[in-house]
Amino acid sequence: GLGLFLLFLFVLFRDNLRTYRLLDDEYLKVVTLSLAACFIAFLVNGLTETSLYYARVAMIFWYLVGVSLSLRKFVAAK
């Protein structure tokens, strides 16, 4: 399970970086970087607290994942 979660995080960060590089809009670039910073902060917080154990906090994490992955549509629209 840990290996799959780490692979998921790797793919998420790689996709976030790829989206950042392909975007032309400066606002969306800032949003992409902000989401990456949110993931990093969430994971650092998870080192000392069980973040994904609580349903409300886990829902925020998955919501941020969805927003991050949906930014690809702005790149594909070109």
Side-chain angles (χ1 to χ4, degrees), residues 2 5-6 12-13 19 28-29 38 41 45 58 65 68-69 72:
L2 177 63
F5 186 68
L6 291 175
L12 181 67
F13 279 108
T19 302
L28 291 176
K29 282 189 170 191
C38 285
N45 182 42
V65 169
S68 177
L69 293 176
R72 286 189 285 177

Side-chain angles (χ1 to χ4, degrees), residues 12 15-16 19 23 28 31-32 35 63-76:
L12 181 67
D15 185 64
N16 220 358
T19 302
L23 283 172
L28 291 176
V31 169
T32 305
L35 286 169
Y63 175 76
L64 291 173
V65 169
V67 170
S68 177
L69 293 176
S70 69
L71 286 175
R72 286 189 285 177
K73 291 187 178 187
F74 289 102
V75 173

Side-chain angles (χ1 to χ4, degrees), residues 42 51-66:
F42 195 88
S51 302
L52 291 174
Y53 180 72
Y54 302 109
R56 290 182 180 175
V57 179
M59 186 173 59
I60 293 171
F61 176 77
W62 293 111
Y63 175 76
L64 291 173
V65 169

Side-chain angles (χ1 to χ4, degrees), residues 2-59:
L2 177 63
L4 287 175
F5 186 68
L6 291 175
L7 177 65
F8 172 74
L9 289 176
F10 172 75
V11 170
L12 181 67
F13 279 108
R14 185 187 66 193
D15 185 64
N16 220 358
L17 180 64
R18 191 176 293 158
T19 302
Y20 176 78
R21 288 182 181 164
L22 294 175
L23 283 172
D24 292 331
D25 187 11
E26 291 298 319
Y27 176 75
L28 291 176
K29 282 189 170 191
V30 170
V31 169
T32 305
L33 286 178
S34 300
L35 286 169
C38 285
F39 292 134
I40 292 170
F42 195 88
L43 294 171
V44 168
N45 182 42
L47 291 174
T48 59
E49 189 177 350
T50 56
S51 302
L52 291 174
Y53 180 72
Y54 302 109
R56 290 182 180 175
V57 179
M59 186 173 59

